[in-house]
Short mmCIF file of all heavy atoms in Angstrom, two decimals:
data_model
loop_
_atom_site.label_atom_id
_atom_site.label_comp_id
_atom_site.label_asym_id
_atom_site.label_seq_id
_atom_site.Cartn_x
_atom_site.Cartn_y
_atom_site.Cartn_z
N MET A 1 0.94 -1.23 -0.01
CA MET A 1 0.01 0.02 0.01
C MET A 1 0.82 1.30 0.04
O MET A 1 1.71 1.33 0.87
CB MET A 1 -0.89 0.03 1.26
CG MET A 1 -2.02 1.09 1.20
SD MET A 1 -3.18 0.77 2.60
CE MET A 1 -4.10 2.27 2.23
N PRO A 2 0.73 2.09 -0.89
CA PRO A 2 1.52 3.26 -1.12
C PRO A 2 1.36 4.29 0.20
O PRO A 2 0.24 4.28 0.73
CB PRO A 2 1.11 3.98 -2.39
CG PRO A 2 -0.21 3.48 -2.58
CD PRO A 2 -0.39 2.07 -1.88
N ILE A 3 2.36 4.92 0.56
CA ILE A 3 2.24 5.92 1.49
C ILE A 3 1.85 7.21 0.95
O ILE A 3 2.51 7.84 0.28
CB ILE A 3 3.57 6.12 2.33
CG1 ILE A 3 3.92 4.68 2.97
CG2 ILE A 3 3.45 7.09 3.40
CD1 ILE A 3 5.26 4.64 3.55
N ASP A 4 0.65 7.74 1.31
CA ASP A 4 0.19 8.97 0.82
C ASP A 4 0.91 10.20 1.63
O ASP A 4 1.20 9.97 2.78
CB ASP A 4 -1.35 9.08 1.03
CG ASP A 4 -2.07 8.16 0.21
OD1 ASP A 4 -1.63 7.81 -0.94
OD2 ASP A 4 -3.10 7.63 0.59
N ALA A 5 1.03 11.19 0.75
CA ALA A 5 1.55 12.38 1.44
C ALA A 5 0.56 12.93 2.51
O ALA A 5 -0.61 12.83 2.21
CB ALA A 5 1.72 13.51 0.37
N PRO A 6 1.06 13.44 3.50
CA PRO A 6 0.14 13.85 4.56
C PRO A 6 -0.81 14.87 3.88
O PRO A 6 -0.44 15.82 3.22
CB PRO A 6 1.06 14.59 5.63
CG PRO A 6 2.34 13.79 5.48
CD PRO A 6 2.45 13.63 3.89
N GLU A 7 -2.08 14.92 4.48
CA GLU A 7 -3.04 15.67 3.91
C GLU A 7 -2.99 17.11 4.73
O GLU A 7 -2.70 17.06 5.89
CB GLU A 7 -4.48 15.13 4.25
CG GLU A 7 -5.51 15.65 3.48
CD GLU A 7 -6.79 14.76 3.66
OE1 GLU A 7 -6.67 13.71 4.14
OE2 GLU A 7 -7.87 15.27 3.29
N ILE A 8 -3.27 18.16 4.05
CA ILE A 8 -3.29 19.40 4.63
C ILE A 8 -4.71 19.94 4.70
O ILE A 8 -5.38 19.98 3.68
CB ILE A 8 -2.36 20.46 3.92
CG1 ILE A 8 -0.90 19.91 4.01
CG2 ILE A 8 -2.47 21.83 4.52
CD1 ILE A 8 0.08 20.86 3.30
N ILE A 9 -5.21 20.24 5.82
CA ILE A 9 -6.53 20.66 6.05
C ILE A 9 -6.48 22.24 6.49
O ILE A 9 -5.83 22.55 7.40
CB ILE A 9 -7.26 19.98 7.15
CG1 ILE A 9 -6.92 18.53 7.00
CG2 ILE A 9 -8.74 20.32 7.25
CD1 ILE A 9 -8.06 17.57 6.63
N TYR A 10 -7.19 22.94 5.64
CA TYR A 10 -7.21 24.46 6.03
C TYR A 10 -8.47 24.76 6.76
O TYR A 10 -9.54 24.28 6.48
CB TYR A 10 -7.07 25.27 4.67
CG TYR A 10 -5.76 25.10 4.07
CD1 TYR A 10 -5.68 24.24 3.05
CD2 TYR A 10 -4.74 25.96 4.39
CE1 TYR A 10 -4.32 24.13 2.45
CE2 TYR A 10 -3.43 25.79 3.83
CZ TYR A 10 -3.25 24.95 2.82
OH TYR A 10 -1.96 24.76 2.27
N VAL A 11 -8.29 25.62 7.76
CA VAL A 11 -9.28 25.97 8.68
C VAL A 11 -9.35 27.43 8.77
O VAL A 11 -8.42 28.10 8.41
CB VAL A 11 -9.24 25.28 10.08
CG1 VAL A 11 -9.36 23.74 9.96
CG2 VAL A 11 -8.05 25.70 10.76
N ASP A 12 -10.46 27.92 9.33
CA ASP A 12 -10.54 29.40 9.43
C ASP A 12 -9.42 29.98 10.26
O ASP A 12 -8.93 29.36 11.23
CB ASP A 12 -11.76 29.76 10.17
CG ASP A 12 -12.98 29.70 9.19
OD1 ASP A 12 -12.83 29.55 7.97
OD2 ASP A 12 -14.12 29.75 9.63
N GLU A 13 -9.12 31.19 9.95
CA GLU A 13 -7.94 31.84 10.64
C GLU A 13 -8.11 32.02 12.01
O GLU A 13 -7.17 31.91 12.79
CB GLU A 13 -7.87 33.34 9.92
CG GLU A 13 -6.55 34.03 10.33
CD GLU A 13 -5.46 33.60 9.29
OE1 GLU A 13 -5.66 33.60 8.09
OE2 GLU A 13 -4.45 33.24 9.77
N ASP A 14 -9.45 32.14 12.59
CA ASP A 14 -9.57 32.30 14.04
C ASP A 14 -9.91 31.01 14.74
O ASP A 14 -10.45 31.00 15.75
CB ASP A 14 -10.61 33.34 14.26
CG ASP A 14 -11.96 32.99 13.56
OD1 ASP A 14 -11.94 31.96 12.74
OD2 ASP A 14 -12.91 33.76 13.68
N THR A 15 -9.76 29.92 14.08
CA THR A 15 -9.96 28.57 14.68
C THR A 15 -8.94 28.48 15.79
O THR A 15 -7.71 28.71 15.58
CB THR A 15 -9.88 27.47 13.61
OG1 THR A 15 -10.83 27.67 12.63
CG2 THR A 15 -10.13 26.14 14.39
N GLU A 16 -9.46 27.96 16.97
CA GLU A 16 -8.48 27.81 18.04
C GLU A 16 -8.08 26.39 18.29
O GLU A 16 -7.07 26.08 18.70
CB GLU A 16 -9.11 28.39 19.35
CG GLU A 16 -9.24 29.83 19.32
CD GLU A 16 -9.92 30.42 20.60
OE1 GLU A 16 -10.12 29.56 21.50
OE2 GLU A 16 -10.01 31.60 20.65
N SER A 17 -8.97 25.44 17.90
CA SER A 17 -8.60 24.02 18.01
C SER A 17 -9.34 23.27 16.97
O SER A 17 -10.32 23.64 16.36
CB SER A 17 -9.06 23.49 19.38
OG SER A 17 -10.44 23.56 19.61
N VAL A 18 -8.89 22.07 16.71
CA VAL A 18 -9.38 21.16 15.67
C VAL A 18 -9.44 19.79 16.21
O VAL A 18 -8.70 19.40 17.06
CB VAL A 18 -8.60 21.12 14.38
CG1 VAL A 18 -8.66 22.44 13.55
CG2 VAL A 18 -7.14 20.72 14.63
N GLY A 19 -10.48 19.10 15.74
CA GLY A 19 -10.55 17.73 16.15
C GLY A 19 -10.30 16.96 14.93
O GLY A 19 -10.58 17.10 13.81
N CYS A 20 -9.49 15.67 15.21
CA CYS A 20 -9.34 14.75 14.02
C CYS A 20 -9.54 13.43 14.49
O CYS A 20 -9.10 12.95 15.48
CB CYS A 20 -7.81 15.09 13.58
SG CYS A 20 -7.28 13.97 12.35
N ASP A 21 -10.22 12.68 13.56
CA ASP A 21 -10.41 11.19 13.83
C ASP A 21 -9.82 10.47 12.57
O ASP A 21 -10.23 9.36 12.53
CB ASP A 21 -11.85 10.89 14.11
CG ASP A 21 -12.84 11.23 12.95
OD1 ASP A 21 -12.22 11.75 11.87
OD2 ASP A 21 -13.96 11.04 13.06
N GLY A 22 -9.10 11.08 11.85
CA GLY A 22 -8.39 10.40 10.77
C GLY A 22 -9.39 10.26 9.55
O GLY A 22 -9.07 9.62 8.61
N GLY A 23 -10.59 10.83 9.74
CA GLY A 23 -11.56 10.66 8.46
C GLY A 23 -12.37 9.40 8.49
O GLY A 23 -13.01 9.13 7.66
N GLY A 24 -12.17 8.52 9.58
CA GLY A 24 -12.86 7.30 9.60
C GLY A 24 -12.38 6.26 8.69
O GLY A 24 -11.31 6.45 8.09
N GLY A 25 -12.94 5.11 8.76
CA GLY A 25 -12.51 4.11 7.70
C GLY A 25 -11.25 3.53 8.32
O GLY A 25 -11.00 3.58 9.48
N ALA A 26 -10.52 2.96 7.34
CA ALA A 26 -9.31 2.22 7.71
C ALA A 26 -8.35 3.11 8.43
O ALA A 26 -7.44 2.75 9.11
CB ALA A 26 -8.76 1.49 6.55
N LEU A 27 -8.36 4.41 8.02
CA LEU A 27 -7.27 5.32 8.42
C LEU A 27 -7.86 6.02 9.71
O LEU A 27 -7.10 6.93 10.18
CB LEU A 27 -6.98 6.39 7.39
CG LEU A 27 -6.36 5.82 6.03
CD1 LEU A 27 -6.21 6.81 5.10
CD2 LEU A 27 -5.02 5.21 6.44
N GLY A 28 -8.93 5.73 10.17
CA GLY A 28 -9.48 6.26 11.38
C GLY A 28 -8.66 6.11 12.65
O GLY A 28 -7.95 5.09 12.68
N HIS A 29 -8.92 6.97 13.60
CA HIS A 29 -8.18 6.76 14.83
C HIS A 29 -9.08 7.54 15.95
O HIS A 29 -10.04 8.21 15.43
CB HIS A 29 -6.77 7.44 14.89
CG HIS A 29 -6.81 8.86 14.47
ND1 HIS A 29 -7.15 9.87 15.31
CD2 HIS A 29 -6.28 9.46 13.39
CE1 HIS A 29 -7.00 10.99 14.70
NE2 HIS A 29 -6.51 10.84 13.55
N PRO A 30 -8.91 7.29 17.26
CA PRO A 30 -9.75 7.88 18.19
C PRO A 30 -9.77 9.53 17.96
O PRO A 30 -8.61 10.09 17.65
CB PRO A 30 -8.96 7.60 19.57
CG PRO A 30 -8.30 6.28 19.28
CD PRO A 30 -7.84 6.46 17.86
N LEU A 31 -10.86 10.04 18.26
CA LEU A 31 -10.96 11.49 18.05
C LEU A 31 -10.07 12.29 19.10
O LEU A 31 -10.18 11.91 20.24
CB LEU A 31 -12.46 11.90 18.22
CG LEU A 31 -12.72 13.36 18.12
CD1 LEU A 31 -12.33 13.84 16.66
CD2 LEU A 31 -14.12 13.67 18.42
N VAL A 32 -9.28 13.10 18.54
CA VAL A 32 -8.28 13.97 19.34
C VAL A 32 -8.46 15.30 18.99
O VAL A 32 -8.81 15.66 17.81
CB VAL A 32 -6.82 13.36 19.20
CG1 VAL A 32 -6.65 12.10 19.96
CG2 VAL A 32 -6.49 13.34 17.73
N TYR A 33 -8.18 16.24 19.88
CA TYR A 33 -8.35 17.60 19.66
C TYR A 33 -6.86 18.25 19.77
O TYR A 33 -6.14 17.87 20.69
CB TYR A 33 -9.19 18.21 20.69
CG TYR A 33 -10.71 17.97 20.41
CD1 TYR A 33 -11.28 16.86 20.93
CD2 TYR A 33 -11.41 18.58 19.27
CE1 TYR A 33 -12.65 16.56 20.71
CE2 TYR A 33 -12.70 18.35 19.07
CZ TYR A 33 -13.33 17.36 19.76
OH TYR A 33 -14.64 17.00 19.34
N TYR A 34 -6.66 19.07 18.95
CA TYR A 34 -5.32 19.86 18.95
C TYR A 34 -5.69 21.33 18.99
O TYR A 34 -6.60 21.81 18.44
CB TYR A 34 -4.60 19.55 17.71
CG TYR A 34 -4.03 18.07 17.65
CD1 TYR A 34 -4.91 17.26 16.82
CD2 TYR A 34 -3.04 17.65 18.32
CE1 TYR A 34 -4.48 15.91 16.72
CE2 TYR A 34 -2.70 16.31 18.17
CZ TYR A 34 -3.51 15.53 17.39
OH TYR A 34 -3.06 14.17 17.32
N THR A 35 -4.95 22.00 19.91
CA THR A 35 -5.07 23.48 20.04
C THR A 35 -3.98 24.18 19.21
O THR A 35 -2.74 23.81 19.41
CB THR A 35 -4.98 23.81 21.50
OG1 THR A 35 -6.13 23.15 22.22
CG2 THR A 35 -5.28 25.33 21.66
N PHE A 36 -4.35 25.19 18.55
CA PHE A 36 -3.23 25.85 17.66
C PHE A 36 -2.35 26.59 18.69
O PHE A 36 -1.11 26.75 18.46
CB PHE A 36 -3.89 26.87 16.70
CG PHE A 36 -4.43 26.08 15.47
CD1 PHE A 36 -5.87 25.88 15.48
CD2 PHE A 36 -3.60 25.61 14.61
CE1 PHE A 36 -6.33 25.16 14.32
CE2 PHE A 36 -4.12 24.98 13.47
CZ PHE A 36 -5.47 24.72 13.31
N GLY A 37 -2.91 27.37 19.66
CA GLY A 37 -2.10 28.11 20.53
C GLY A 37 -1.50 29.25 19.72
O GLY A 37 -2.28 29.92 19.03
N SER A 38 -0.23 29.52 19.75
CA SER A 38 0.40 30.61 19.01
C SER A 38 0.82 30.20 17.61
O SER A 38 1.36 30.95 16.92
CB SER A 38 1.41 31.23 19.80
OG SER A 38 2.45 30.21 20.09
N SER A 39 0.78 28.91 17.30
CA SER A 39 1.31 28.46 15.99
C SER A 39 0.32 28.46 15.01
O SER A 39 -1.00 28.35 15.30
CB SER A 39 1.94 27.12 16.22
OG SER A 39 0.92 26.06 16.59
N ARG A 40 0.74 28.42 13.81
CA ARG A 40 -0.37 28.55 12.65
C ARG A 40 -0.73 27.28 12.15
O ARG A 40 -1.72 27.09 11.40
CB ARG A 40 0.47 29.29 11.47
CG ARG A 40 -0.50 29.64 10.38
CD ARG A 40 0.01 30.68 9.45
NE ARG A 40 -0.92 30.93 8.33
CZ ARG A 40 -0.78 30.35 7.21
NH1 ARG A 40 0.19 29.47 7.00
NH2 ARG A 40 -1.72 30.51 6.33
N SER A 41 -0.05 26.16 12.62
CA SER A 41 -0.47 24.79 12.20
C SER A 41 -0.20 23.75 13.18
O SER A 41 0.77 23.94 14.03
CB SER A 41 0.23 24.48 10.77
OG SER A 41 1.71 24.39 11.14
N VAL A 42 -1.01 22.74 13.24
CA VAL A 42 -0.74 21.60 14.02
C VAL A 42 -0.82 20.33 13.24
O VAL A 42 -1.43 20.34 12.14
CB VAL A 42 -1.80 21.54 15.16
CG1 VAL A 42 -1.62 22.62 16.03
CG2 VAL A 42 -3.14 21.42 14.53
N THR A 43 -0.09 19.40 13.65
CA THR A 43 0.05 18.11 12.88
C THR A 43 -0.52 16.98 13.76
O THR A 43 -0.20 16.91 14.99
CB THR A 43 1.49 17.72 12.53
OG1 THR A 43 1.96 18.88 11.80
CG2 THR A 43 1.48 16.47 11.75
N CYS A 44 -1.41 16.21 13.22
CA CYS A 44 -2.08 15.10 14.01
C CYS A 44 -1.02 14.08 14.24
O CYS A 44 -0.37 13.62 13.24
CB CYS A 44 -3.27 14.57 13.22
SG CYS A 44 -4.01 13.25 14.00
N GLY A 45 -0.79 13.69 15.47
CA GLY A 45 0.09 12.69 15.82
C GLY A 45 -0.37 11.27 15.33
O GLY A 45 0.59 10.39 15.29
N TYR A 46 -1.48 11.11 14.99
CA TYR A 46 -2.06 9.71 14.58
C TYR A 46 -1.91 9.59 13.13
O TYR A 46 -1.39 8.50 12.66
CB TYR A 46 -3.42 9.60 15.03
CG TYR A 46 -3.67 9.22 16.35
CD1 TYR A 46 -3.92 10.35 17.29
CD2 TYR A 46 -3.69 7.98 16.90
CE1 TYR A 46 -4.18 10.15 18.64
CE2 TYR A 46 -3.97 7.65 18.18
CZ TYR A 46 -4.14 8.82 19.13
OH TYR A 46 -4.47 8.55 20.48
N CYS A 47 -2.35 10.57 12.34
CA CYS A 47 -2.52 10.35 10.84
C CYS A 47 -1.61 11.28 10.02
O CYS A 47 -1.71 11.26 8.93
CB CYS A 47 -3.98 10.37 10.57
SG CYS A 47 -4.75 11.96 10.69
N ASP A 48 -0.86 12.12 10.81
CA ASP A 48 0.03 12.96 10.14
C ASP A 48 -0.78 14.09 9.28
O ASP A 48 -0.05 14.82 8.55
CB ASP A 48 1.08 12.33 9.23
CG ASP A 48 2.13 11.55 10.03
OD1 ASP A 48 2.37 12.14 11.24
OD2 ASP A 48 2.92 10.78 9.47
N ARG A 49 -1.98 14.21 9.53
CA ARG A 49 -2.62 15.35 8.78
C ARG A 49 -2.30 16.62 9.46
O ARG A 49 -2.02 16.75 10.59
CB ARG A 49 -4.14 15.28 9.04
CG ARG A 49 -4.86 14.26 7.92
CD ARG A 49 -6.27 14.25 8.20
NE ARG A 49 -6.90 13.48 7.30
CZ ARG A 49 -8.19 13.18 7.38
NH1 ARG A 49 -9.03 13.65 8.37
NH2 ARG A 49 -8.78 12.55 6.42
N GLU A 50 -1.99 17.64 8.57
CA GLU A 50 -1.60 18.88 9.02
C GLU A 50 -2.74 19.90 8.97
O GLU A 50 -3.32 20.05 7.88
CB GLU A 50 -0.44 19.48 8.30
CG GLU A 50 0.20 20.72 8.88
CD GLU A 50 1.47 21.25 8.06
OE1 GLU A 50 1.70 20.58 7.07
OE2 GLU A 50 1.95 22.20 8.50
N PHE A 51 -2.99 20.55 10.05
CA PHE A 51 -4.14 21.59 10.03
C PHE A 51 -3.40 22.98 9.95
O PHE A 51 -2.68 23.20 10.80
CB PHE A 51 -4.98 21.36 11.31
CG PHE A 51 -5.68 20.03 11.37
CD1 PHE A 51 -5.14 18.95 11.79
CD2 PHE A 51 -7.05 19.99 10.70
CE1 PHE A 51 -5.84 17.69 11.74
CE2 PHE A 51 -7.70 18.86 10.68
CZ PHE A 51 -7.17 17.70 11.08
N VAL A 52 -3.87 23.64 9.19
CA VAL A 52 -3.33 25.07 8.80
C VAL A 52 -4.34 26.11 8.98
O VAL A 52 -5.38 26.02 8.27
CB VAL A 52 -2.54 25.10 7.42
CG1 VAL A 52 -1.89 26.48 7.29
CG2 VAL A 52 -1.44 24.05 7.34
N ARG A 53 -4.05 27.08 9.73
CA ARG A 53 -4.93 28.24 9.75
C ARG A 53 -4.85 29.12 8.55
O ARG A 53 -3.63 29.42 8.34
CB ARG A 53 -4.82 29.10 11.09
CG ARG A 53 -5.35 28.26 12.23
CD ARG A 53 -5.56 29.04 13.41
NE ARG A 53 -4.28 29.49 14.07
CZ ARG A 53 -4.30 30.10 15.28
NH1 ARG A 53 -5.24 30.24 16.01
NH2 ARG A 53 -2.99 30.38 15.79
N GLY A 54 -5.86 29.60 8.01
CA GLY A 54 -5.88 30.54 6.81
C GLY A 54 -6.28 29.79 5.62
O GLY A 54 -6.96 28.82 5.60
N THR A 55 -6.10 30.43 4.46
CA THR A 55 -6.53 29.92 3.26
C THR A 55 -5.55 29.24 2.40
O THR A 55 -4.24 29.59 2.61
CB THR A 55 -7.12 31.12 2.36
OG1 THR A 55 -6.07 32.03 2.26
CG2 THR A 55 -8.42 31.73 3.03
N PRO A 56 -5.87 28.28 1.54
CA PRO A 56 -4.86 27.54 0.83
C PRO A 56 -4.22 28.57 -0.02
O PRO A 56 -4.87 29.46 -0.67
CB PRO A 56 -5.68 26.58 0.07
CG PRO A 56 -7.09 26.43 0.78
CD PRO A 56 -7.22 27.88 1.42
N PRO A 57 -2.97 28.38 -0.36
CA PRO A 57 -2.30 29.18 -1.36
C PRO A 57 -2.84 28.97 -2.72
O PRO A 57 -3.20 27.82 -3.02
CB PRO A 57 -0.89 28.62 -1.31
CG PRO A 57 -0.88 27.29 -0.72
CD PRO A 57 -2.06 27.33 0.24
N ALA A 58 -2.87 29.98 -3.49
CA ALA A 58 -3.36 29.89 -4.88
C ALA A 58 -2.58 28.96 -5.68
O ALA A 58 -3.21 28.19 -6.49
CB ALA A 58 -3.49 31.19 -5.51
N ASP A 59 -1.38 29.06 -5.63
CA ASP A 59 -0.50 27.99 -6.21
C ASP A 59 0.86 27.95 -5.49
O ASP A 59 0.88 28.59 -4.47
CB ASP A 59 -0.25 28.33 -7.70
CG ASP A 59 0.35 29.75 -7.90
OD1 ASP A 59 0.72 30.41 -6.78
OD2 ASP A 59 0.39 30.19 -9.01
N GLY A 60 1.65 27.11 -5.93
CA GLY A 60 2.92 26.93 -5.25
C GLY A 60 2.92 25.66 -4.45
O GLY A 60 3.63 24.83 -4.83
N ALA A 61 2.41 25.64 -3.28
CA ALA A 61 2.38 24.37 -2.56
C ALA A 61 1.58 23.33 -3.35
O ALA A 61 0.43 23.47 -3.73
CB ALA A 61 1.65 24.64 -1.19
N PRO A 62 2.19 22.21 -3.35
CA PRO A 62 1.56 21.01 -4.06
C PRO A 62 0.33 20.50 -3.32
O PRO A 62 0.56 19.99 -2.35
CB PRO A 62 2.67 20.04 -4.32
CG PRO A 62 3.59 20.41 -3.21
CD PRO A 62 3.53 21.86 -2.87
N ILE A 63 -0.75 20.73 -3.77
CA ILE A 63 -2.01 20.07 -3.27
C ILE A 63 -2.49 19.07 -4.11
O ILE A 63 -2.75 19.26 -5.32
CB ILE A 63 -2.94 21.14 -2.97
CG1 ILE A 63 -2.51 22.21 -2.00
CG2 ILE A 63 -4.29 20.52 -2.34
CD1 ILE A 63 -3.59 23.34 -1.81
N GLU A 64 -2.52 17.94 -3.65
CA GLU A 64 -2.88 16.69 -4.50
C GLU A 64 -4.31 16.76 -4.69
O GLU A 64 -5.24 16.68 -3.77
CB GLU A 64 -2.52 15.42 -3.82
CG GLU A 64 -2.48 14.25 -4.83
CD GLU A 64 -1.88 13.03 -4.20
OE1 GLU A 64 -1.02 13.14 -3.37
OE2 GLU A 64 -2.16 11.96 -4.60
N ILE A 65 -4.68 16.94 -6.03
CA ILE A 65 -6.17 16.91 -6.28
C ILE A 65 -6.34 15.87 -7.40
O ILE A 65 -5.65 15.79 -8.49
CB ILE A 65 -6.57 18.36 -6.80
CG1 ILE A 65 -6.35 19.36 -5.77
CG2 ILE A 65 -8.02 18.22 -7.24
CD1 ILE A 65 -6.68 20.72 -6.24
N HIS A 66 -7.23 14.98 -7.16
CA HIS A 66 -7.61 13.99 -8.13
C HIS A 66 -8.64 14.55 -9.04
O HIS A 66 -9.73 14.78 -8.82
CB HIS A 66 -8.23 12.73 -7.40
CG HIS A 66 -7.23 12.13 -6.51
ND1 HIS A 66 -6.19 11.39 -6.92
CD2 HIS A 66 -7.11 12.14 -5.08
CE1 HIS A 66 -5.56 10.93 -5.88
NE2 HIS A 66 -6.04 11.38 -4.76
N GLN A 67 -8.08 14.82 -10.33
CA GLN A 67 -9.03 15.39 -11.25
C GLN A 67 -8.77 14.73 -12.61
O GLN A 67 -7.73 14.18 -12.95
CB GLN A 67 -8.76 17.00 -11.35
CG GLN A 67 -7.27 17.24 -11.86
CD GLN A 67 -7.13 18.71 -11.93
OE1 GLN A 67 -7.88 19.57 -11.45
NE2 GLN A 67 -5.96 19.13 -12.46
N THR A 68 -9.87 14.92 -13.42
CA THR A 68 -9.81 14.24 -14.72
C THR A 68 -9.10 15.20 -15.57
O THR A 68 -9.11 16.41 -15.43
CB THR A 68 -11.19 13.92 -15.18
OG1 THR A 68 -11.98 15.17 -15.18
CG2 THR A 68 -11.87 12.93 -14.38
N THR A 69 -8.54 14.72 -16.64
CA THR A 69 -7.84 15.58 -17.62
C THR A 69 -8.41 15.64 -18.93
O THR A 69 -7.73 15.98 -19.95
CB THR A 69 -6.33 15.01 -17.74
OG1 THR A 69 -6.40 13.64 -18.15
CG2 THR A 69 -5.47 15.01 -16.35
N ASP A 70 -9.66 15.31 -18.93
CA ASP A 70 -10.30 15.26 -20.40
C ASP A 70 -10.89 16.60 -20.63
O ASP A 70 -11.79 16.80 -21.44
CB ASP A 70 -11.36 14.29 -20.33
CG ASP A 70 -12.47 14.49 -19.27
OD1 ASP A 70 -12.29 15.41 -18.48
OD2 ASP A 70 -13.49 13.72 -19.18
N ARG A 71 -10.59 17.68 -19.84
CA ARG A 71 -11.11 19.03 -20.35
C ARG A 71 -10.06 20.06 -19.92
O ARG A 71 -9.60 20.05 -18.73
CB ARG A 71 -12.43 19.34 -19.68
CG ARG A 71 -13.08 20.54 -20.02
CD ARG A 71 -14.45 20.71 -19.62
NE ARG A 71 -15.32 19.80 -20.52
CZ ARG A 71 -16.04 20.14 -21.53
NH1 ARG A 71 -15.76 21.39 -22.01
NH2 ARG A 71 -16.79 19.25 -22.12
ZN1 LIG B 1 -5.74 12.51 12.66
#
């Protein structure tokens, strides 16, 4: 099974904490909460998802999107 790049989840700028349960399914894990505190991002210790406050960059950072190429 290939190892996927950690997912980046963007949340509102004023979000103080996030909950992560791995998205359920095979990759799920117990629901845990992370507090941003003074940092702009937190990384889930279970599933390596990164939660970032703010909006996704328009381009630059590689965000994996599964899209069709027929158009
Ligand atoms: Zn997680």
Side-chain angles (χ1 to χ4, degrees):
M1 191 169 174
I3 299 173
D4 291 323
E7 197 171 347
I8 297 179
I9 314 248
Y10 291 94
V11 297
D12 281 347
E13 196 80 51
D14 56 357
T15 302
E16 292 181 359
S17 63
V18 292
C20 182
D21 65 358
L27 295 176
H29 59 71
L31 179 62
V32 286
Y33 287 94
Y34 296 96
T35 302
F36 285 101
S38 59
S39 60
R40 188 161 176 269
S41 67
V42 293
T43 302
C44 177
Y46 284 93
C47 64
D48 280 346
R49 278 182 176 171
E50 187 176 6
F51 294 86
V52 179
R53 289 198 283 194
T55 53
D59 56 7
I63 299 175
E64 196 170 334
I65 300 174
H66 297 285
Q67 59 183 12
T68 56
T69 55
D70 59 355
R71 183 168 289 269

